[in-house]
Amino acid sequence: MKEKDRSNLISTNGKQGLLSRNEAAQFLGVRHQTLSTWACNGRYGLRYVKIGRRAMYRVSDLEDFLDRRTITHCGELRDE
């Protein structure tokens, strides 16, 4: 997702920095089922907030996740 699109998503969701699983998936460029799988098995340590039955993602946690997954060359990143 392009930076401009991310900014629009963040500014229009109206939830003070919380994104639904679908919105978070769009933000990261993955399917919402992928986020469900990651949450279930704890892969990557992506944090989320449970509100009732809903999983919500803080924009700051998504940005931190992207920062942790950013690499400069192959072999630099190790799976968590």
Side-chain angles (χ1 to χ4, degrees):
M1 175 179 275
K2 295 179 183 174
E3 187 66 33
K4 180 182 175 189
D5 295 334
R6 285 186 180 136
S7 296
N8 288 339
L9 181 64
I10 293 167
S11 64
T12 60
N13 76 356
K15 296 181 189 98
Q16 298 180 355
L18 286 178
L19 302 179
S20 69
R21 181 163 280 158
N22 287 334
E23 292 168 330
Q26 185 180 1
F27 183 89
L28 295 175
V30 300
R31 296 176 49 196
H32 70 92
Q33 294 93 332
T34 300
L35 290 181
S36 296
T37 300
W38 291 354
C40 183
N41 64 25
R43 186 166 192 179
Y44 302 122
L46 180 56
R47 296 174 54 163
Y48 61 97
V49 178
K50 286 292 286 184
I51 301 174
R53 294 172 59 182
R54 295 184 58 154
M56 304 293 288
Y57 294 80
R58 288 185 186 102
V59 172
S60 60
D61 288 336
L62 296 173
E63 290 171 340
D64 288 344
F65 170 77
L66 291 175
D67 288 342
R68 289 193 319 265
R69 303 296 299 169
T70 301
I71 60 174
T72 57
H73 61 83
C74 65
E76 179 182 7
L77 181 67
R78 295 182 301 169
D79 269 343
E80 299 169 347

